[in-house]
Amino acid sequence: MTESTESTAVILASVLKLSPDAVANVSEREQLSIAMESLLMFTEQAKRAQELADKAQDQTDAALLELEECRRQIRKLFDACQKWEAIANDLLAQLVMAAQSPGQPDRIH
């Protein structure tokens, strides 16, 4: 077994969770075949993982846009509530002034 074959055997043993002796008994051609199959499998897994990561990023981006839109709508509602509160306070002040007797300025009838 050449040094290259031994290195391949050690790497394959590690990747495939086998003992180095078990892989060392496999021919160099078979080791390369196993290595190629493993590489293809890991490449496919990496592609699927990247696709899932891309999809998750797209979903995160969409959620952030939706969150920003909700924030804008809440701000508009808050501003509208403040305006209605000011109107209500003005009306209440007018009601208090209209309900006061000329002789009792601090009392509502």
Side-chain angles (χ1 to χ4, degrees):
M1 183 180 299
T2 67
E3 187 177 318
S4 173
T5 305
E6 288 176 24
S7 296
T8 304
V10 170
I11 293 169
L12 282 176
S14 175
V15 169
L16 300 175
K17 310 287 191 245
L18 299 173
S19 72
D21 291 336
V23 176
N25 291 329
V26 176
S27 72
E28 186 173 357
R29 173 179 238 149
E30 289 175 30
Q31 286 181 16
L32 290 174
S33 175
I34 293 169
M36 286 300 296
E37 288 175 25
S38 297
L39 180 60
L40 289 173
M41 180 183 68
F42 292 139
T43 301
E44 281 302 313
Q45 289 175 347
K47 285 179 184 177
R48 283 193 298 266
Q50 184 62 53
E51 289 168 0
L52 289 173
D54 291 345
K55 185 176 179 179
Q57 184 63 52
D58 291 346
Q59 290 172 344
T60 300
D61 292 345
L64 288 173
L65 288 173
E66 189 173 333
L67 183 62
E68 182 61 25
E69 180 58 28
C70 288
R71 189 196 65 76
R72 277 192 226 104
Q73 290 176 3
I74 289 169
R75 184 69 197 166
K76 285 180 183 180
L77 287 172
F78 181 75
D79 291 345
C81 287
Q82 286 184 318
K83 289 176 186 176
W84 281 109
E85 182 182 25
I87 291 169
N89 287 336
D90 287 344
L91 290 173
L92 183 59
Q94 291 175 20
L95 180 61
V96 168
M97 291 173 65
Q100 289 178 343
S101 299
Q104 299 172 331
D106 294 333
R107 195 167 165 205
I108 298 176
H109 293 283

